[in-house]
Amino acid sequence: VAKIKMSELATASLMSEFTDREKEVMHLCCDGLLSKEIASQLNISSRTVEMHKSNIFKKLGINSTIELLKWAIGHGVVKI
């Protein structure tokens, strides 16, 4: 049985709060794509991307894509 750190459990629990689309948007934001680029890649409107970003920010209690990137790296959601 693999041991999981408490922070990994907390991150996994928090990640379960996001929809699959929010997770996609989160990863694409962390890859440096702009909302317009994300919209094009996912075949959705820029306004929908902004809605997903807003929901992500609210769930994490953050206000910017930079804060999202810092959070995602710090919690092992994305790697550099």
Side-chain angles (χ1 to χ4, degrees):
V1 176
K3 291 185 179 180
I4 300 176
K5 296 177 192 173
M6 189 58 85
S7 63
E8 290 173 350
L9 285 174
T11 300
S13 175
L14 184 55
M15 287 303 291
S16 71
E17 297 294 317
F18 296 103
T19 66
D20 289 340
R21 185 62 94 184
E22 287 171 344
K23 290 174 190 175
E24 285 179 300
V25 170
M26 179 185 299
H27 282 91
L28 293 170
C29 281
C30 290
D31 284 342
L33 275 68
L34 301 172
S35 292
K36 187 176 179 179
E37 296 167 320
I38 294 169
S40 176
Q41 188 166 332
L42 298 179
N43 294 315
I44 58 178
S45 72
S46 294
R47 186 172 177 168
T48 301
V49 172
E50 291 299 327
M51 180 200 61
H52 288 307
K53 285 173 63 176
S54 176
N55 290 340
I56 293 165
F57 292 175
K58 284 179 192 171
K59 289 176 183 182
L60 293 175
I62 60 174
N63 297 306
S64 71
T65 304
I66 295 297
E67 288 178 291
L68 173 60
L69 180 59
K70 287 170 51 179
W71 180 88
I73 291 169
H75 288 83
V77 175
V78 297
K79 295 183 180 169
I80 25 179

